[in-house]
Amino acid sequence: MALVPWACCPWLVLLCACAWGNPKPVDLQTKDVRNCSSSPQYLPVTVVNTTEKLTALRQQMHTHNLSAYIIPDTDAHMSEYIGEHDKRLAWITGFTGSAGTAVVTMGKAGLWTDSRYWTQAEREMDCNWELHKEASWESYEMAFRGSDRELVSIISNLVDLVWESERPPAPSQPIYVLQETFTGSTWQEKVSSIRSQMQKHHKAPTALLLSALDETAWLFNLRSSDIPYNPFFYSYTLLTDSSIRLFVNKSRFNSETLQYLNSSCTGSMCVQLEDYSQVHDSIQAYASGAVRIWIGMTYTTYGLYKVIPKVRDAVAMIRYLVWLEKNVPKGIVDEFSGAELLDKFRGEEEFSSGPSFKTISASGLNAALAHYSPTKEFHRKLSSDEMYLLDSGGQYWDGTTDITRTVHWGTPSAFQKEAYTRVLIGNIDLSRLVFPAAISGRVIEAFARRALWNVGLNYGHGTGHGIGNFLCVHEWPVGFQSSSITMGKGMFTSIEPGYYQDGEFGIRLEDVALVVEAKTKYPGTYLTFEVVSLVPYDKNLIDVNLLSPEQLQYLNHYYQTIREKVGPELQRRQLLEELAWLQQHTEPLSAKAPHITSLFSLLAVSTLVILS
């Protein structure tokens, strides 16, 4: 029997009428969001008209005798990033955020998403849609217990039936082999290792099913470009002790790749290629026997430290920051054109394969939206009077990067400097933390928030996520979430505290860090982090007097490391302007002397003590 029933299809329908509550009101206090209660209704230019789409979808629901239809934000592989072919939620609602679930009944339509996207949803959805707090599949199941409501899966996707010819075609780009130079292990070695784990597992599984796209890409050292910012291809893998079955579009392989997979043989180390569309029937047939199927793998790719492209990525970032510093005061840079230029700089680096996600290039109040990204049509000018948040990353054959810096070219307010410095303190405190081996990231996550909590500030997103090796930039299960596995030597994670002042500014400082062994005074197995992102923070926003001596020492050591590792590369490439910028922005920081009034007060107190 199978340990877990087959449930690959994420599109579910609800065979009952939903009980709708009133959506929670959100006071956005901005002019670029919809107002459905005004007469006439106000809709910003960013809104998508969904009336005809909803009418067609409800006709399909009536044909299938359905009361409600649930549309998630993912694909059949539960991918974080999805291809244009699978962006059903965005097409039917107009909402382009990366997290959300839509429910359509015969009379209403609603979208559930978390607080990061409330403002974005109000900008993009028309008044056919109600905005609700985020819901989960678990909450659906709990609500249906003891009632006549039922969730079922259907083979046809109703949104696809409505989408029809407008739907982007399925990807057909070649699937290629990633050279062993960048992978560390052959696919045969990985298969042997997994089979060994299966034999030792206490549940004695007879097969391993890989559904996540990064799992199959990792296993076979194959890559393509089906998913934006992620070098994956649509596929499933069923691995047993005697067979390897890869479900994929075979026409996308050339003769060399077919030979690489030994696809013409039938032995236990030969890959049998089966059509991608047959995976449901094939797995169902296999699961009907006396078998145990191991669903997925709780691993992350442990990239080799020596091949992480930290210096090359830092060069691209520094080139961009230098360019911004010169051109933002001229008033010629906007969020979108800036992001395009950074992508260009990264694309010029060796082994580059494009961005690792859509660049978050946000100025002023847009930076308060944690996952905002500009478009060619809708963007904001960069200004010396506002903070600018840049969250970006690159895909390279030898690694994946993710880094965030927040800068201000003018005169920041005292509150902006304090908030920025407390975010920086959180980044430093977690980065330099020494902790026992084999504990979860969620146990130590609070160290990144402590400096903010001390003054009543906080942030609503996670503190970090795993980083793949030319795979996912957000790679589960490493990180600081409740579902993350225990930290282990060799893992890569991001560290990214932040703070967001709604309608004004946003701050985030993100670095990629490697988990390494810590040297302690007494014997024991302890770990710490080694930051591998090498771009300085903005001195203009740092209030040095808020830093402890230990934090200041750590920061200066980090700046020295940047000088030593990135400086020679800039020199070698004759990027002399960037080298001068780097030297200026990594000069050692020191605590400022107390204000003169404080000195007078101290002398006065001392005098009183002496006189008494």
Side-chain angles (χ1 to χ4, degrees), residues 238-315:
L238 183 67
L239 173 65
T240 72
D241 59 352
S242 60
S243 66
I244 309 169
R245 298 163 70 181
L246 173 59
F247 298 87
V248 70
N249 182 351
K250 184 178 179 180
S251 66
R252 300 175 62 184
F253 292 123
N254 59 27
S255 57
E256 290 79 9
T257 307
L258 293 174
Q259 184 178 1
Y260 163 82
L261 293 172
N262 298 332
S263 60
S264 60
C265 63
T266 58
S268 62
M269 292 302 291
C270 301
V271 180
Q272 304 169 29
L273 297 181
E274 299 191 25
D275 191 79
Y276 176 79
S277 62
Q278 298 301 310
V279 63
H280 181 278
D281 294 341
S282 296
I283 300 300
Q284 191 172 53
Y286 178 82
S288 63
V291 298
R292 289 176 179 264
I293 303 177
W294 194 1
I295 306 294
M297 286 283 286
T298 55
Y299 67 83
T300 190
T301 300
Y302 304 114
L304 299 177
Y305 175 55
K306 63 182 180 181
V307 299
I308 288 294
K310 53 185 181 179
V311 173
R312 277 181 279 122
D313 198 67
V315 169

Side-chain angles (χ1 to χ4, degrees), residues 30-83:
T30 57
K31 296 181 179 179
D32 59 345
V33 298
R34 64 180 184 170
N35 185 347
C36 296
S37 60
S38 64
S39 182
Q41 296 173 340
Y42 172 72
L43 297 177
V45 294
T46 48
V47 156
V48 174
N49 187 330
T50 63
T51 300
E52 292 185 2
K53 299 175 182 179
L54 283 172
T55 299
L57 177 60
R58 285 172 174 140
Q59 290 173 350
Q60 290 291 339
M61 291 165 57
H62 178 74
T63 301
H64 288 79
N65 193 29
L66 303 173
S67 299
Y69 196 67
I70 301 174
I71 308 163
D73 56 14
T74 188
D75 59 15
H77 300 269
M78 308 303 287
S79 305
E80 177 188 12
Y81 293 98
I82 57 176

Side-chain angles (χ1 to χ4, degrees), residues 214-242:
D214 59 324
E215 294 175 332
T216 290
W218 171 85
L219 177 62
F220 294 109
N221 296 330
L222 295 174
R223 301 291 191 270
S224 193
S225 54
D226 295 8
I227 308 297
Y229 314 114
N230 294 269
F232 308 146
F233 51 94
Y234 289 115
S235 58
Y236 294 93
T237 298
L238 183 67
L239 173 65
T240 72
D241 59 352
S242 60

Side-chain angles (χ1 to χ4, degrees), residues 11 46-51 53-54 57 70-75 82-104 110-112 120-121 124-126 129 157 159-160 163 166 168 358:
W11 307 286
T46 48
V47 156
V48 174
N49 187 330
T50 63
T51 300
K53 299 175 182 179
L54 283 172
L57 177 60
I70 301 174
I71 308 163
D73 56 14
T74 188
D75 59 15
I82 57 176
E84 297 296 325
H85 186 71
D86 289 317
K87 291 185 177 179
R88 300 173 178 88
L89 182 70
W91 183 80
I92 197 69
T93 67
F95 171 66
T96 61
S98 62
T101 300
V103 180
V104 178
L111 174 82
W112 279 259
Q120 181 177 343
E124 297 179 334
M125 295 194 306
D126 63 15
W129 294 88
N157 189 289
V159 176
D160 293 350
W163 208 347
E166 294 182 14
K358 188 175 184 179

